[in-house]
Amino acid sequence: MAYHNLASLDAMNNDALDKYDICRSAIVSWYYSVYFAASAMVAASSGSIQETHTATAKVWQADIAERKLIPYPFDLYLSSLVTTAAEAEISEYRGTNDYDLNHRAHDPDMAHGAIVSYLKGTHKYKKWEAEERIKTSKEFKALNVDNFRKKVARELRDKTLDKGQVNFLIQAFRYRGKSNYRDSIFLSYGDNNEGTIDQFIEDLNDVAFGFLRAASRYCSKRVERGTWARFVEDIEDNTRLSIGIDAIEI
């Protein structure tokens, strides 16, 4: 499935004359290429099959990211949604790098700054999401409070937040949601940034390809000797997709 979505993304890159026409669909294909590759890693790690995207991301962090089994920058994660803990981890990742998402990245340092900024932004979003969910709980309502200003409310909140996390999959899912729903109109509306959007679609393809390569390497080591080679050979012999097997061949 990851390979199939990569093929879709590759076709959009090569065949679409106007990338604005396909930018939303390209992001969706990008996400599902990443998601299914990560799902394969989880299955190869523990044999488990998760029923939701959130559950997959949670297990993927525990089985893969926290064990440093995926290369940078896919390995960056936050182990808690509690503000003090998350900010400490973000600060460690950032160091003295002061670049953010307001700067278009032209080198690795600028790219790293943007990555850390999106990590921070996703923490803020996931924290807000968790707090809104906590406010509807029986435990919160039993406190007879409206916010988290009182110590008992903060303790209840932080107990839940400490179980949360942010990782590449969670960020990718958030990005897909923003692009596919709320922000979709802004991908193809307003100023003409044709050159930027063309590069963006190419970058989506590069990231999906790189993630699938990493996932394939991991999965190939988790199956019996020769199994992955037979799997790749079968795809090469029988697929009707137009792309080669470079992304999955080890």
Side-chain angles (χ1 to χ4, degrees):
M1 292 302 296
Y3 175 71
H4 198 139
N5 279 279
L6 182 65
S8 298
L9 190 52
D10 185 77
M12 293 180 204
N13 260 289
N14 294 323
D15 300 339
L17 297 179
D18 190 333
K19 298 302 189 293
Y20 274 117
D21 293 339
I22 52 87
C23 58
R24 186 194 62 81
S25 298
I27 293 169
V28 173
S29 291
W30 169 82
Y31 171 73
Y32 280 105
S33 184
V34 167
Y35 171 72
F36 283 117
S39 296
M41 296 181 79
V42 168
S45 172
S46 59
S48 64
I49 300 176
Q50 305 305 313
E51 297 297 327
T52 68
H53 294 249
T54 300
T56 299
K58 184 178 182 68
V59 177
W60 183 83
Q61 177 161 322
D63 286 2
I64 307 299
E66 291 181 5
R67 296 181 181 180
K68 304 299 181 183
L69 297 175
I70 192 77
Y72 172 86
F74 306 123
D75 63 330
L76 302 187
Y77 67 89
L78 301 178
S79 59
S80 172
L81 295 181
V82 175
T83 299
T84 52
E87 287 183 347
E89 292 177 328
I90 290 168
S91 179
E92 185 174 350
Y93 287 138
R94 181 170 289 285
T96 59
N97 188 315
D98 59 358
Y99 292 112
D100 57 29
L101 290 167
N102 293 315
H103 301 87
R104 184 178 177 183
H106 297 289
D107 57 50
D109 283 342
M110 297 182 76
H112 180 75
I115 288 169
V116 175
S117 289
Y118 200 74
L119 194 68
K120 180 178 181 179
T122 304
H123 162 255
K124 182 179 180 180
Y125 170 74
K126 295 299 292 184
K127 178 175 176 286
W128 168 83
E129 187 179 59
E131 288 177 341
E132 292 301 301
R133 187 168 59 250
I134 293 166
K135 288 177 182 177
T136 65
S137 69
K138 292 180 180 179
E139 294 84 355
F140 182 82
K141 291 178 180 178
L143 298 176
N144 293 316
V145 295
D146 298 321
N147 50 54
F148 298 107
R149 292 176 183 173
K150 290 188 175 181
K151 183 179 179 180
V152 288
R154 292 197 302 272
E155 288 175 345
L156 174 65
R157 178 197 63 187
D158 289 352
K159 182 179 179 181
T160 300
L161 292 180
D162 198 40
K163 298 177 183 178
Q165 62 257 130
V166 178
N167 57 50
F168 177 64
L169 282 190
I170 290 172
Q171 293 181 94
F173 183 68
R174 178 193 177 211
Y175 194 71
R176 188 222 68 171
K178 286 163 62 71
S179 303
N180 201 31
Y181 298 105
R182 189 190 70 186
D183 293 350
S184 59
I185 186 173
F186 301 110
L187 290 169
S188 53
Y189 180 89
D191 294 340
N192 186 352
N193 296 293
E194 183 177 345
T196 301
I197 205 74
D198 287 354
Q199 184 63 55
F200 173 65
I201 304 302
E202 289 182 24
D203 291 344
L204 288 176
N205 196 47
D206 288 344
V207 173
F209 183 92
F211 191 86
L212 183 50
R213 283 287 295 163
S216 296
R217 172 70 67 175
Y218 177 80
C219 292
S220 73
K221 299 296 184 181
R222 296 288 301 180
V223 295
E224 295 177 348
R225 185 182 299 275
T227 300
W228 191 264
R230 291 195 298 274
F231 165 67
V232 173
E233 182 181 2
D234 179 68
I235 289 181
E236 185 176 29
D237 291 343
N238 295 289
T239 186
R240 299 276 66 86
L241 299 175
S242 62
I243 64 170
I245 58 170
D246 295 358
I248 59 173
E249 187 177 35
I250 302 302

